[in-house]
Amino acid sequence: MDRIRRAEEDDHARIVEAIGTWWSDSRSPQAARELSMLVPRLFLQHFAGTSFVIERDGGFLGFLVGFVSQDHPEQAYVHFVGVDPARRRGGVARRLYEAFFDIARQAGCTTVKCVTSPVNTGSVGFHRRMGFSLVPGDHEVDGLPVQGDYDGLGQDRVCFVRELA
Amino acid sequence: MDRIRRAEEDDHARIVEAIGTWWSDSRSPQAARELSMLVPRLFLQHFAGTSFVIERDGGFLGFLVGFVSQDHPEQAYVHFVGVDPARRRGGVARRLYEAFFDIARQAGCTTVKCVTSPVNTGSVGFHRRMGFSLVPGDHEVDGLPVQGDYDGLGQDRVCFVRELA
């Protein structure tokens, strides 16, 4: 039985390892390692209360790292989500997001935001199914609104927002 | 005259550019670019209220990205600091940290934490001069207490803590 729980600092090493493994189909080992730099330990030390992991029989199936905006307390932000490729389309990501929505509502948030890469069409489709809207961009790629150089030069992003009813 | 102010979301592009430039003496362009992944836009969107920049005549001299821990509201955390190499040893970093200490105290924090790489002896010396203590590690490198694999495999760190009187 899959079990969802709050993340803990000790999950950091497994999250970094998972990023290196789970993204290895679409990225070089170097690029997967770079990706894991997006989740330094600080997120598991200081934002574990709004982050979750799903396990089964001790195995690690997925994680979500999110937080409540310090500057805009009515906004919650999903920073990084990973699901074991063997378990994709099995509802793991949905369960992680729903747990995050619940805790964000409890914290008084009214919206959730997140971003993804324009090439990650799977992620775009998932966020649409989860009720996110696409934020207008400064140009379009394959019909998607894209914000150019959003996270640095060449780091374009599609931006999402969802109301928390 | 150097001017310190709160960071804004629009500072993100300049911070990313500065990381690429200011670290280019000690790192390859690729490694400097990787480093900038540690400061995705989210920090300037959601933690700008506890982040600062110093400018002079429109030029960008330094920045500090920090936050109050969501899980441990008595702790503040300095995530990333950069100073123009031409202005190092000129008090820019000290001014950034003191502004951060002030705002952390106003937010009710009693301690500030941060980490650095064991090879960054300049950073270790600076943090000692700023009143930080070194947190015990799991091994020593050149007499420094180091936490191995702290931020992922091979990503050792020296950890600092400072009380806010």
Side-chain angles (χ1 to χ4, degrees), chain B residues 38-49:
Chain B
L38 285 172
V39 191
R41 177 177 288 262
L42 70 89
F43 283 103
L44 283 304
Q45 293 172 317
H46 301 294
F47 304 99

Side-chain angles (χ1 to χ4, degrees), chain B residues 13-26:
Chain B
R14 291 207 293 173
I15 288 174
V16 168
E17 189 190 348
I19 294 172
T21 308
W22 295 347
W23 272 263
S24 62
D25 53 343
S26 61

Side-chain angles (χ1 to χ4, degrees), chain A residues 15 18-19 22-23 52-53 60-65 80-82 96:
Chain A
I15 288 173
I19 293 171
W22 296 347
W23 272 264
F52 297 89
V53 304
F60 201 59
L61 304 184
F63 64 91
L64 181 154
V65 173
F80 205 103
V81 180
L96 289 165

